[in-house]
Amino acid sequence: MHRRDAIRNVAILLGTAISASTLSALESCTGSAPKNYDLHTPQTKAMVAEVADTIIPTTDTPGAKAAKVDEFIITMMNDCYKKEDQELFLSGLKKIDEASKKKFQKAFLELTPEQRTEVLTEIDKERVAYNKRDNKKDGDAAHYFQAMKDLTLVGYFTSEPGATQALRYVRVPGKYEGCVPYKKGDKAWAT
């Protein structure tokens, strides 16, 4: 199975679509992307960890921070994304901080989990509207929150805690069973 097919399958399991820019970056990960050392600052790492953990918080299963999704996001962004995408990502983190300051007069890292959720919910609504706009053209840059959300989902559901605790997981699957009963509330399968 090719990487693109695996990522698409994870997206289908999650009931979401991975953006074309994220899929493209994951497929062409060759280590030839320009290294962006701004991604490795303590402030950036903390911000990425908290944004990811707000997207997938700890509940009865570990959240994004416990799955070290922030490390995955920074590695993928630094090793696989073009310079323009890296810059969009970093400017997006600044925009999240600006939105926090505008709404709550505090930096994102100083907000309560409920306030963080409120800020990111508004930004996600903005992302959806941006993606559905009528004047959208091929080649337009993605919304700055798109890569953060996509990479959080991919990083989490391909991590050990995400695959084994948030999804149903069978270490060595048996024969193929095409029709397995599903009860409302059952977890999706990781394998």
Side-chain angles (χ1 to χ4, degrees), residues 126-143:
E126 177 187 305
R127 176 194 63 84
V128 170
Y130 179 84
N131 288 340
K132 289 183 176 181
R133 70 190 187 283
D134 291 334
N135 61 349
K136 187 175 172 181
K137 298 179 186 117
D138 285 342
D140 281 354
H143 188 274

Side-chain angles (χ1 to χ4, degrees), residues 89-185:
F89 182 83
L90 286 169
S91 73
L93 292 176
K94 289 177 186 162
K95 288 179 183 179
I96 291 170
D97 223 19
E98 290 167 7
S100 301
K101 289 175 184 172
K102 183 178 178 184
K103 186 164 183 76
F104 295 108
Q105 294 72 49
K106 294 181 186 176
F108 187 80
L109 295 176
E110 297 170 354
L111 299 179
T112 65
E114 295 78 19
Q115 291 171 324
R116 289 177 183 167
T117 300
E118 202 173 318
V119 168
L120 292 186
T121 299
E122 287 179 13
I123 290 170
D124 196 45
K125 287 178 184 174
E126 177 187 305
R127 176 194 63 84
V128 170
Y130 179 84
N131 288 340
K132 289 183 176 181
R133 70 190 187 283
D134 291 334
N135 61 349
K136 187 175 172 181
K137 298 179 186 117
D138 285 342
D140 281 354
H143 188 274
Y144 67 88
F145 193 57
Q146 189 70 53
M148 174 61 75
K149 195 166 183 182
D150 290 349
L151 288 172
T152 298
L153 292 172
V154 171
Y156 183 74
F157 288 106
T158 57
S159 72
E160 183 177 346
T164 61
Q165 294 177 46
L167 299 173
R168 293 189 279 179
Y169 176 77
V170 177
R171 181 179 224 148
V172 180
K175 66 181 178 165
Y176 172 75
E177 294 182 38
C179 189
V180 178
Y182 173 80
K183 294 181 294 218
K184 186 173 181 166

